Amino acid sequence: MREKERLVLSRGPRPSGPLRSLRTEEEEEAHAVGKMKLALEIHPNALAYSMTTLGAGMMNSVFNFYYVKLFLNRYRISEVAFHQAQVVFMIWNAINDPLFGYIQDNSKLPCCSRRQFSILYGAPLYALAFLLPWFPWRHYEEGDWLSGLHLIIALCAFDGLLTFVLLAQCALFAEISTRHESRLQLIKYNQVATLIGSTSVLFCGLISDNMENFAYFQAFAVLIAALATACMYYTGKYSTSQYEQRGIPAENADRGNGDRALSWSSVISLTKQIMTEKNFVFFVTMNFFQVFHLAFCNNFMMIFADNLIPKDVLSSSLRSIMYGAGFICPQCLVLLSHASLKKFGYYRIILFSFYFEGVAAAVMFVLGPGHYHLLAFYLTTNMVIVQASFSLFNLPLADIVDADLIKHKRRSPLSSMVFGTNALFTKPAQSLAPMLVVTILNQFGYENLNNEVAQPDPSLFLGLHDAMFYLVCLVPLCIAVVQILTWTPFSIQNSHMTAAH
């Protein structure tokens, strides 16, 4: 009783009348200002996480957009050598993801087991691998065998280091927080970073005149590599996971007594557990076609636009803006849809994007190739929707990681294993897309398009342009149908409504 009396006396007499109401208004105003400051406050962990996205975005956008045209048109690689490089790349691309995933989840070496150290030490090598394709090893003649070897090494080195760094970042995404709201915050920061990073394609096109001035292009590539290394260094130094905040390193939490030795039996057992999840199977099937579609857009949008849209209709600067928009607008779209993601969840947003892609492709096919401005708009829009929906795919994968954690009662998530196993089945699509498209185009004379000696029959180009237009419309249409069928049964549809925990 005495303690209560002292407490009441210490508070003093309660204000009444106008004074009380004035204080209430001041408190409400202070609360509103506090909320505004909180909304404007930069979240340091999300910022640190997104810096790797910024660096990788700058390099990946330029690499994927220009490497096919570089080797086909400038280095004049033969079709056989191109296919051989893609086959080797496809095998390595499929193997390295689950391999690095298992190593990062189980290794005792800090540079592999700590997500931040993997990013920190992998960043400089990743940047050097990015520079490999842009500097020819000698003056290549048409069909030079060395250009084929150059492509193999460039693709494998770049993808290997990309995998090592970004797999650690993907695992960090799942381990920073299990709350849907926190993950949406990471997505938001990520999209801002990707938005800034994707401008590299726009500026690269403007500075190098869409790779016509190759010396300027090379100088810009070196600048991108330096900036990307600095960005990823920031992630390595300043990002943390929820397990580290609790004092439990994620990579060691499930290996308390050292009973998780690296062995093939462990790899097979863990991979089998992941692959038996129906949601994982549905997601991987859908994601395979998304990766195929994304590679199709990234590698061939410039080639299709250059051949289907006359130069007097779209100037070089407008084309650069168009190509840049294909990388910049997806991030704007995801940022603008943040409220919709909270309300409807990623499942419905992704499903809607598939219906949109299918309808748009069907309409363009019916209208025909003669509507040049509409075709330019369609090419850009299609690429924007594919990139934007693909940007959300960490959300279902993170939910799959959470479901696996609960089902198998693990002490910590096998984040890298889940992301790596997903990549095992989806990454081959990155090679299959250019192989299939180049084979079809060469059937209609594309390999002779830049032949300086022989003068190909102009009528042959009509068939080539028709083939390109059919590819532009029918590939997205068929992929949309398959994705709708495989994504609809995915059962984790309402994680955005799950109570925060």
Side-chain angles (χ1 to χ4, degrees):
M1 287 292 293
R2 287 180 180 177
E3 288 179 2
K4 287 184 179 180
E5 287 171 4
R6 280 199 300 270
L7 185 61
V8 171
L9 289 171
S10 67
R11 289 177 180 171
R14 291 186 179 181
S16 60
L19 181 59
R20 186 175 184 180
S21 130
L22 181 61
R23 284 196 178 180
T24 304
E25 289 177 5
E26 288 175 350
E27 287 173 0
E28 289 177 354
E29 185 178 346
H31 181 66
V33 171
K35 285 182 72 176
M36 187 178 296
K37 285 183 178 178
L38 188 64
L40 296 173
E41 189 178 284
I42 294 176
H43 193 282
N45 208 21
L47 175 65
Y49 172 85
S50 64
M51 290 301 285
T52 288
T53 303
L54 173 58
M58 288 190 290
M59 294 193 294
N60 295 352
S61 299
V62 170
F63 190 95
N64 291 325
F65 195 67
Y66 285 104
Y67 94 84
V68 171
K69 185 176 181 180
L70 174 74
F71 277 88
L72 288 178
N73 292 9
R74 190 175 186 88
Y75 296 166
R76 291 177 293 173
I77 189 173
S78 68
E79 182 181 348
V80 173
F82 184 83
H83 287 335
Q84 287 172 344
Q86 292 293 346
V87 169
V88 173
F89 172 53
M90 179 169 59
I91 296 169
W92 168 242
N93 203 358
I95 291 172
N96 66 30
D97 287 88
L99 178 64
F100 288 151
Y102 185 77
I103 290 172
Q104 288 183 0
D105 273 339
N106 296 275
S107 175
K108 294 180 180 179
L109 295 173
C111 65
C112 296
S113 61
R114 287 285 302 276
R115 314 301 186 197
Q116 296 87 339
F117 286 1
S118 295
I119 296 170
L120 186 66
Y121 298 134
L125 299 175
Y126 183 15
L128 288 174
F130 163 73
L131 294 175
L132 273 176
W134 319 127
F135 297 88
W137 296 349
R138 69 181 182 197
H139 177 72
Y140 294 133
E141 301 294 335
E142 185 172 355
D144 195 328
W145 67 270
L146 192 59
S147 64
L149 180 62
H150 187 177
L151 180 58
I152 291 173
I153 293 175
L155 286 175
C156 292
F158 182 74
D159 184 72
L161 274 303
L162 177 152
T163 299
F164 186 77
V165 172
L166 295 194
L167 198 58
Q169 192 207 18
C170 287
L172 199 58
F173 177 88
E175 293 169 9
I176 283 177
S177 176
T178 56
R179 295 176 63 247
H180 183 74
E181 183 65 28
S182 297
R183 286 174 174 173
L184 283 181
Q185 185 183 53
L186 287 178
I187 289 286
K188 188 175 182 179
Y189 274 76
N190 235 26
Q191 292 312 121
V192 173
T194 309
L195 171 62
I196 299 169
S198 60
T199 59
S200 61
V201 171
L202 171 62
F203 289 118
C204 190
L206 293 172
I207 290 170
S208 68
D209 192 21
N210 294 318
M211 212 166 61
E212 293 298 321
N213 191 326
F214 197 55
Y216 283 11
F217 180 90
Q218 290 172 317
F220 191 76
V222 172
L223 176 62
I224 288 173
L227 292 174
T229 303
C231 290
M232 288 183 275
Y233 175 85
Y234 188 89
T235 300
K237 293 293 288 184
Y238 299 109
S239 62
T240 57
S241 72
Q242 62 175 338
Y243 300 98
E244 290 164 331
Q245 290 165 2
R246 296 174 192 168
I248 307 171
E251 69 278 359
N252 294 327
D254 222 19
R255 296 199 308 270
N257 299 317
D259 58 346
R260 290 280 302 277
L262 284 167
S263 67
W264 284 110
S265 60
S266 298
V267 175
I268 295 169
S269 175
L270 293 172
T271 304
K272 185 178 179 181
Q273 288 176 358
I274 294 167
M275 289 174 57
T276 51
E277 292 294 327
K278 286 185 178 180
N279 283 323
F280 181 79
V281 174
F282 290 138
F283 175 82
V284 164
T285 306
M286 178 274 294
N287 194 17
F288 174 87
F289 289 98
Q290 188 77 2
V291 172
F292 185 99
H293 197 176
L294 194 58
F296 173 80
C297 293
N298 287 342
N299 296 160
F300 295 97
M301 179 185 179
M302 180 186 286
I303 292 174
F304 290 150
D306 287 350
N307 286 275
L308 293 177
I309 303 172
K311 295 189 185 301
D312 58 344
V313 174
L314 280 183
S315 64
S316 178
S317 58
L318 284 177
R319 288 173 190 268
S320 297
I321 294 171
M322 171 184 164
Y323 302 147
F327 288 90
I328 296 170
C329 292
Q331 323 318 325
C332 297
L333 184 59
V334 174
L335 287 169
L336 292 173
S337 64
H338 191 70
S340 298
L341 278 169
K342 282 185 177 181
K343 184 176 181 180
F344 301 108
Y346 63 77
Y347 172 82
R348 291 168 183 83
I349 300 292
I350 292 173
L351 186 61
F352 173 78
S353 73
F354 298 153
Y355 279 105
F356 183 90
E357 291 164 20
V359 171
V363 169
M364 191 69 241
F365 183 75
V366 170
L367 292 174
H371 301 79
Y372 298 127
H373 290 96
L374 189 60
L375 180 58
F377 179 76
Y378 166 74
L379 286 171
T380 307
T381 305
N382 183 55
M383 188 169 179
V384 167
I385 297 298
V386 174
Q387 291 263 20
S389 57
F390 186 71
S391 298
L392 304 177
F393 281 16
N394 273 356
L395 288 170
L397 265 179
D399 281 344
I400 291 170
V401 170
D402 294 342
D404 172 81
L405 178 72
I406 295 168
K407 179 177 180 179
H408 298 285
K409 300 178 181 177
R410 307 188 197 281
R411 290 181 61 195
S412 69
L414 292 176
S415 312
S416 291
M417 282 289 288
V418 172
F419 280 88
T421 306
N422 162 67
L424 171 67
F425 296 102
T426 59
K427 284 293 190 72
Q430 288 183 337
S431 297
L432 290 174
M435 287 173 65
L436 178 63
V437 175
V438 168
T439 300
I440 293 172
L441 294 182
N442 282 346
Q443 295 296 317
F444 293 90
Y446 180 76
E447 60 187 343
N448 299 318
L449 194 62
N450 297 292
N451 196 321
E452 297 174 357
V453 180
Q455 293 296 323
D457 184 0
S459 63
L460 189 63
F461 292 153
L462 296 176
L464 175 62
H465 290 168
D466 287 342
M468 286 183 173
F469 180 74
Y470 290 146
L471 285 171
V472 161
C473 296
L474 296 181
V475 168
L477 179 60
C478 295
I479 287 176
V481 171
V482 174
Q483 287 182 309
I484 290 169
L485 294 175
T486 53
W487 183 239
T488 302
F490 188 81
S491 64
I492 309 177
Q493 301 180 10
N494 298 305
S495 63
H496 61 293
M497 299 173 66
T498 305
H501 59 282

